[in-house]
Amino acid sequence: MSINLLLILMLLVMTWCGAFGGYFLKLASDTDFKKELPVLVKWLIIGLLSYGSGAILNIIVLRYMPYTIVFSLTSITYIWTFVLSYFLLGEPITKRKLFGVGLIIIGAVCLVI
Amino acid sequence: MSETRSTSPIGIILMVAAAFSTATGQFFWKLAAGGGLFDWHLWIGFVFYGMGAVLMTVAFRFGRLSVLHPLLTIGYVIALVYGVSFLNEPISVTLVIGTVLILAGVWLIGGDEH
């Protein structure tokens, strides 16, 4: 039981790492590499570190759960991606996008039942 | 530089390539599961996963994060093929339905104008 709770917590943190990793890599990709190279490198390092932390958690979790299930649960990441995109990047979150992520999550649930 | 741009097909193609690379990396990690730090599968996995991160970063130049990042779930379909073909993980009706729903979701998000 406690092992399962720990695994769930690790999966959750893994999705946060993935979402923040994506966000920081997006900041890096939007930085002009001729004018603001140090800024770009900063976002790139932060992005790769958080993306990499998620990867290490992924490797640990894979030792205890089937590959197909772990991969599908990573779709929770995109809920956090929408939150970050909306609040920090000012991107529109349309009904179509929400419906799309809803389908992805329902699909992921189908994979684990 | 972070002006709002609509997503270009190049971004979507790069994300599909990133998904392929990421899924391949995770597949090698699964092969390494139980092995130590010196298991070569682990390191091949890192190469593919890292390549996925690079492709993803480049892809992000061509569109919005909220459109492109969820496209990484395309990798699930690739993972399913790997899992069923090489790891003998079981395939079932719910697995197929789940995959179809995920692809439909990816299609909705990827085709969004915003």
Side-chain angles (χ1 to χ4, degrees), chain B residues 26-100:
Chain B
Q26 287 178 314
F27 171 68
F28 275 100
W29 285 340
K30 183 64 188 179
L31 291 182
L37 265 182
F38 297 104
D39 191 322
W40 63 273
H41 292 101
L42 191 71
W43 299 99
I44 296 277
F46 272 117
V47 170
F48 275 103
Y49 202 85
M51 210 161 74
V54 172
L55 285 166
M56 188 173 82
T57 308
V58 178
F60 285 167
R61 277 196 84 83
F62 299 96
R64 294 183 199 272
L65 183 66
S66 58
V67 170
L68 292 173
H69 202 201
L71 300 189
L72 217 53
T73 37
I74 275 280
Y76 176 70
V77 181
I78 299 149
L80 187 78
V81 173
Y82 284 147
V84 171
S85 328
F86 302 115
L87 303 175
N88 293 320
E89 288 186 1
I91 190 157
S92 63
V93 177
T94 50
L95 212 60
V96 174
I97 293 171
T99 305
V100 170

Side-chain angles (χ1 to χ4, degrees), chain A:
Chain A
M1 184 63 187
S2 58
I3 292 276
N4 286 343
L5 279 175
L6 187 66
L7 275 177
I8 289 165
L9 186 69
M10 281 168 78
L11 273 166
L12 197 62
V13 174
M14 184 185 90
T15 61
W16 290 339
C17 288
F20 273 101
Y23 168 69
F24 288 120
L25 292 178
K26 171 65 176 164
L27 291 185
S29 79
D30 280 344
T31 307
D32 191 326
F33 68 93
K34 284 179 189 143
K35 291 179 191 160
E36 303 170 286
L37 190 62
V39 181
L40 189 150
V41 171
K42 181 185 80 180
W43 293 135
L44 202 61
I45 288 171
I46 297 174
L48 288 175
L49 276 179
S50 65
Y51 198 70
S53 311
I56 287 161
L57 282 172
N58 195 309
I59 293 172
I60 298 167
V61 172
L62 272 175
R63 288 179 182 235
Y64 304 99
M65 291 172 82
Y67 167 76
T68 42
I69 291 174
V70 175
F71 200 91
S72 65
L73 287 177
T74 53
S75 64
I76 296 165
T77 305
Y78 309 112
I79 299 176
W80 318 130
T81 295
F82 276 10
V83 173
L84 295 173
S85 300
Y86 182 77
F87 287 105
L88 301 178
L89 297 172
E91 293 184 3
I93 300 302
T94 57
K95 280 179 187 161
R96 184 175 166 147
K97 280 185 200 171
L98 287 173
F99 191 56
V101 149
L103 282 183
I104 287 173
I105 290 160
I106 296 166
V109 171
C110 282
L111 303 171
V112 291
I113 55 174

